[in-house]
Amino acid sequence: MRAVIFDLWDTLVEWPVAEAARLRARIAELVPVDEEEFGRRWHEVYRASQTGPLAEAYRALGVPDEHIESHVRARHAFGRQVLRPRVGAAAAVAELRRRGLKTAVISVCSEEVPAAWPETELAGLFDVETFSSECGLMKPEPEIYRRTARALGVETHDCLFVGDGANDELLGAWRVGMTPVLFLPAGNAPLWPEVRGWAGEQVSSIEEVLELC
Ligand SMILES: [Mg+2]
């Protein structure tokens, strides 16, 4: 292996379920439709929210114009607040680099993640950061993995890809020739149907990735 590529949410950083639900509920209050219709719209704008400006996604949801800016700001504040690596993760990534491996992140995320990134403990840890909101691509699209490998200067088959499995990201990595590794903390059941019964490589901490390299 020459490189290790990590997923962000629920891999390097825990997804803040309650905080995210709170933001969603505050937005739902502004959209004059029932819960079912709001859920349908939320699902419909998911891709747009992860690959383009949040303001446009909120507008498509039906958030009134006068409220869009404050909700975009709230999401940016959320990013600054929650983007903290798991205990031990930053040291493990630094150790991978000390051993001569390249490191990267590929994240399906909205614009607040790259905006907050430089101020977080994650800044400077990776050779390449690929954010869906900046490149307009999502996992498991092949090109998001390939462009990251190209930016690292390695072949896809030289890469481990470590993630919790959302967005079918593990099979997506495998399809382009990367070695997928399921990240599943001890005691957790797989959250995503795609990874139930996963028979490939698996780690329960970011430190354990060091044993695979
Ligand atoms: Mg994830």
Coordinates of all heavy atoms in Angstrom, one line a residue, residues 70-116:
S70 N -29.5 33.0 7.3 CA -29.3 32.7 8.7 C -29.2 31.2 8.9 O -28.4 30.7 9.8 CB -30.4 33.3 9.6 OG -31.6 32.6 9.4
H71 N -29.8 30.4 8.1 CA -29.7 29.0 8.2 C -28.4 28.4 7.6 O -27.8 27.5 8.1 CB -31.0 28.3 7.6 CG -32.1 28.4 8.6 ND1 -32.3 27.4 9.6 CD2 -33.0 29.4 8.9 CE1 -33.3 27.8 10.4 NE2 -33.7 29.0 10.0
V72 N -28.0 29.1 6.6 CA -26.6 28.8 6.0 C -25.6 29.1 7.1 O -24.7 28.3 7.4 CB -26.3 29.5 4.7 CG1 -24.9 29.3 4.3 CG2 -27.3 29.0 3.6
R73 N -25.7 30.2 7.8 CA -24.8 30.6 8.8 C -24.8 29.6 10.0 O -23.8 29.2 10.5 CB -25.1 32.0 9.4 CG -24.4 33.1 8.6 CD -24.3 34.3 9.5 NE -25.5 34.7 10.2 CZ -26.4 35.5 9.6 NH1 -26.2 36.1 8.4 NH2 -27.5 35.8 10.3
A74 N -26.0 29.1 10.3 CA -26.2 28.1 11.4 C -25.5 26.8 11.0 O -24.8 26.2 11.9 CB -27.7 27.8 11.7
R75 N -25.5 26.4 9.8 CA -24.9 25.2 9.3 C -23.3 25.4 9.4 O -22.6 24.4 9.7 CB -25.3 24.9 7.9 CG -24.8 23.6 7.4 CD -25.6 22.4 8.0 NE -24.9 21.1 7.7 CZ -25.4 19.9 7.8 NH1 -26.7 19.8 8.2 NH2 -24.8 18.9 7.4
H76 N -22.9 26.6 9.1 CA -21.4 26.8 9.2 C -21.0 26.8 10.6 O -19.9 26.3 10.9 CB -21.1 28.1 8.5 CG -21.0 28.0 7.0 ND1 -19.8 28.0 6.3 CD2 -21.9 27.8 6.0 CE1 -20.0 27.8 5.0 NE2 -21.3 27.7 4.8
A77 N -21.8 27.3 11.5 CA -21.4 27.3 12.9 C -21.4 25.8 13.4 O -20.5 25.4 14.2 CB -22.5 28.1 13.8
F78 N -22.3 25.0 12.9 CA -22.4 23.6 13.2 C -21.1 22.9 12.8 O -20.4 22.2 13.5 CB -23.6 23.0 12.5 CG -23.6 21.5 12.2 CD1 -24.2 20.7 13.2 CD2 -23.1 20.9 11.1 CE1 -24.2 19.3 13.0 CE2 -23.2 19.6 10.8 CZ -23.8 18.8 11.8
G79 N -20.6 23.2 11.6 CA -19.3 22.7 11.1 C -18.2 23.0 12.0 O -17.4 22.1 12.4
R80 N -18.1 24.3 12.4 CA -17.0 24.6 13.3 C -17.0 23.9 14.6 O -16.0 23.6 15.3 CB -17.0 26.2 13.5 CG -16.6 26.9 12.2 CD -16.3 28.4 12.5 NE -17.5 29.1 13.0 CZ -18.5 29.6 12.2 NH1 -18.3 29.6 10.9 NH2 -19.5 30.2 12.7
Q81 N -18.3 23.7 15.1 CA -18.5 23.1 16.4 C -18.2 21.6 16.4 O -17.7 21.0 17.4 CB -19.9 23.3 16.8 CG -20.3 22.9 18.2 CD -21.9 22.9 18.3 OE1 -22.6 23.6 17.6 NE2 -22.4 22.1 19.2
V82 N -18.6 20.9 15.3 CA -18.6 19.4 15.4 C -17.4 18.7 14.7 O -17.2 17.5 14.9 CB -19.9 18.8 14.9 CG1 -21.1 19.4 15.6 CG2 -20.0 19.0 13.4
L83 N -16.6 19.5 14.0 CA -15.5 18.8 13.2 C -14.3 18.6 14.1 O -13.3 19.3 14.1 CB -15.1 19.6 12.0 CG -15.9 19.4 10.7 CD1 -15.5 20.4 9.7 CD2 -15.7 18.0 10.2
R84 N -14.4 17.5 14.9 CA -13.3 17.1 15.8 C -13.0 15.7 15.6 O -13.9 14.8 15.7 CB -13.7 17.3 17.3 CG -14.0 18.7 17.7 CD -14.4 18.8 19.1 NE -15.2 20.0 19.4 CZ -14.9 21.3 19.2 NH1 -13.7 21.5 18.8 NH2 -15.7 22.2 19.4
P85 N -11.7 15.4 15.3 CA -11.4 14.0 15.1 C -11.6 13.1 16.4 O -11.5 13.6 17.5 CB -9.9 14.0 14.7 CG -9.4 15.3 15.2 CD -10.5 16.3 15.2
R86 N -11.9 11.9 16.1 CA -12.1 10.9 17.3 C -10.7 10.9 18.0 O -9.7 11.1 17.4 CB -12.2 9.5 16.7 CG -13.6 9.2 16.1 CD -13.6 7.8 15.5 NE -14.8 7.6 14.8 CZ -16.0 7.3 15.3 NH1 -16.1 7.1 16.6 NH2 -17.0 7.2 14.5
V87 N -10.8 10.5 19.3 CA -9.6 10.3 20.1 C -8.7 9.3 19.4 O -9.1 8.3 19.0 CB -10.0 9.8 21.5 CG1 -8.7 9.5 22.3 CG2 -10.8 10.9 22.2
G88 N -7.4 9.7 19.2 CA -6.4 8.8 18.6 C -6.3 8.9 17.1 O -5.4 8.5 16.5
A89 N -7.4 9.5 16.5 CA -7.4 9.4 15.0 C -6.3 10.3 14.4 O -5.6 9.9 13.5 CB -8.7 9.9 14.5
A90 N -6.1 11.5 14.9 CA -5.1 12.4 14.4 C -3.7 11.8 14.5 O -2.9 11.9 13.6 CB -5.2 13.8 15.0
A91 N -3.4 11.3 15.7 CA -2.1 10.7 15.9 C -1.9 9.5 14.9 O -0.7 9.3 14.4 CB -2.0 10.2 17.3
A92 N -2.9 8.7 14.7 CA -2.7 7.5 13.8 C -2.5 8.0 12.4 O -1.6 7.4 11.7 CB -4.0 6.7 13.9
V93 N -3.2 9.0 11.9 CA -3.0 9.5 10.6 C -1.5 10.1 10.5 O -0.8 9.9 9.5 CB -4.0 10.6 10.2 CG1 -3.7 11.2 8.8 CG2 -5.4 10.0 10.2
A94 N -1.1 10.8 11.5 CA 0.3 11.4 11.5 C 1.3 10.2 11.4 O 2.3 10.3 10.7 CB 0.5 12.2 12.7
E95 N 1.0 9.1 12.1 CA 1.9 8.0 12.1 C 2.0 7.3 10.7 O 3.1 6.9 10.3 CB 1.5 7.0 13.2 CG 2.3 5.7 13.2 CD 3.8 5.9 13.5 OE1 4.2 7.0 14.0 OE2 4.6 4.9 13.2
L96 N 0.8 7.3 10.0 CA 0.8 6.7 8.7 C 1.8 7.5 7.8 O 2.6 7.0 7.0 CB -0.6 6.8 8.1 CG -1.6 5.8 8.6 CD1 -3.0 6.1 8.2 CD2 -1.2 4.3 8.2
R97 N 1.7 8.8 7.9 CA 2.6 9.7 7.1 C 4.0 9.5 7.5 O 4.9 9.6 6.6 CB 2.2 11.2 7.2 CG 0.9 11.4 6.5 CD 0.4 12.8 6.8 NE 0.7 13.7 5.6 CZ 0.4 15.0 5.6 NH1 0.0 15.6 6.7 NH2 0.7 15.7 4.6
R98 N 4.3 9.4 8.8 CA 5.7 9.2 9.2 C 6.3 8.0 8.6 O 7.5 7.9 8.3 CB 5.7 9.1 10.8 CG 7.0 9.5 11.4 CD 7.1 9.1 12.9 NE 6.9 7.7 13.1 CZ 7.8 6.7 12.9 NH1 9.0 7.0 12.5 NH2 7.5 5.4 13.2
R99 N 5.4 7.0 8.4 CA 5.8 5.7 7.8 C 6.0 5.8 6.2 O 6.2 4.8 5.6 CB 4.9 4.6 8.1 CG 4.9 4.3 9.6 CD 4.0 3.1 9.9 NE 3.9 2.8 11.3 CZ 3.2 1.8 11.8 NH1 2.6 0.9 11.0 NH2 3.1 1.6 13.1
G100 N 5.7 7.0 5.7 CA 5.9 7.2 4.3 C 4.6 7.0 3.4 O 4.7 7.0 2.2
L101 N 3.5 6.8 4.1 CA 2.3 6.6 3.3 C 1.6 8.0 3.0 O 1.7 8.9 3.8 CB 1.3 5.7 4.1 CG 1.7 4.3 4.2 CD1 1.3 3.7 5.5 CD2 1.0 3.5 3.0
K102 N 1.0 8.1 1.9 CA 0.2 9.3 1.6 C -1.2 9.1 2.3 O -1.7 8.0 2.5 CB -0.1 9.4 0.1 CG 1.2 9.5 -0.7 CD 1.6 10.9 -0.8 CE 2.8 11.0 -1.8 NZ 3.4 12.4 -1.8
T103 N -1.8 10.2 2.6 CA -3.1 10.2 3.2 C -4.1 11.1 2.6 O -3.7 12.2 2.0 CB -3.0 10.6 4.7 OG1 -2.4 11.9 4.8 CG2 -2.1 9.6 5.5
A104 N -5.4 10.7 2.6 CA -6.4 11.6 2.0 C -7.7 11.4 2.7 O -7.9 10.4 3.4 CB -6.6 11.3 0.5
V105 N -8.6 12.3 2.5 CA -10.0 12.2 2.9 C -10.9 12.4 1.7 O -10.6 13.2 0.8 CB -10.4 13.4 3.9 CG1 -11.9 13.4 4.2 CG2 -9.6 13.3 5.1
I106 N -11.9 11.5 1.6 CA -13.0 11.7 0.6 C -14.3 11.8 1.4 O -14.7 10.9 2.0 CB -13.1 10.6 -0.4 CG1 -11.8 10.4 -1.2 CG2 -14.2 10.9 -1.4 CD1 -11.8 9.2 -2.2
S107 N -14.9 13.0 1.3 CA -16.1 13.2 2.1 C -17.3 13.7 1.3 O -17.2 14.6 0.5 CB -15.9 14.2 3.2 OG -17.0 14.4 4.0
V108 N -18.4 13.0 1.5 CA -19.7 13.5 1.0 C -20.2 14.5 2.1 O -20.5 14.0 3.2 CB -20.7 12.4 0.7 CG1 -22.1 13.0 0.4 CG2 -20.2 11.5 -0.5
C109 N -20.1 15.8 1.8 CA -20.4 16.7 2.9 C -20.9 18.0 2.2 O -20.8 18.2 1.0 CB -19.1 17.0 3.6 SG -17.8 17.7 2.6
S110 N -21.5 18.8 3.0 CA -22.0 20.1 2.5 C -20.9 21.2 2.8 O -19.9 20.9 3.4 CB -23.4 20.5 3.0 OG -23.5 20.2 4.4
E111 N -21.1 22.4 2.3 CA -20.1 23.4 2.2 C -19.4 23.8 3.5 O -18.3 24.4 3.5 CB -20.7 24.7 1.5 CG -21.7 25.3 2.4 CD -22.4 26.5 1.7 OE1 -22.6 26.5 0.5 OE2 -22.7 27.5 2.4
E112 N -20.1 23.6 4.6 CA -19.5 24.0 5.9 C -18.3 23.2 6.3 O -17.5 23.7 7.1 CB -20.6 23.9 7.0 CG -20.8 22.6 7.7 CD -21.7 21.7 6.8 OE1 -22.1 22.1 5.7 OE2 -22.0 20.6 7.3
V113 N -18.1 22.0 5.7 CA -17.0 21.2 6.1 C -15.7 21.8 5.5 O -14.8 22.1 6.3 CB -17.2 19.7 5.7 CG1 -15.9 18.9 5.8 CG2 -18.3 19.1 6.5
P114 N -15.6 22.0 4.2 CA -14.3 22.7 3.7 C -14.2 24.1 4.3 O -13.0 24.5 4.5 CB -14.5 22.7 2.2 CG -15.9 22.4 1.9 CD -16.4 21.6 3.1
A115 N -15.3 24.8 4.6 CA -15.2 26.1 5.1 C -14.5 26.1 6.5 O -13.7 27.0 6.8 CB -16.5 26.8 5.2
A116 N -14.9 25.1 7.3 CA -14.4 25.1 8.7 C -13.1 24.4 8.8 O -12.3 24.6 9.8 CB -15.4 24.4 9.6

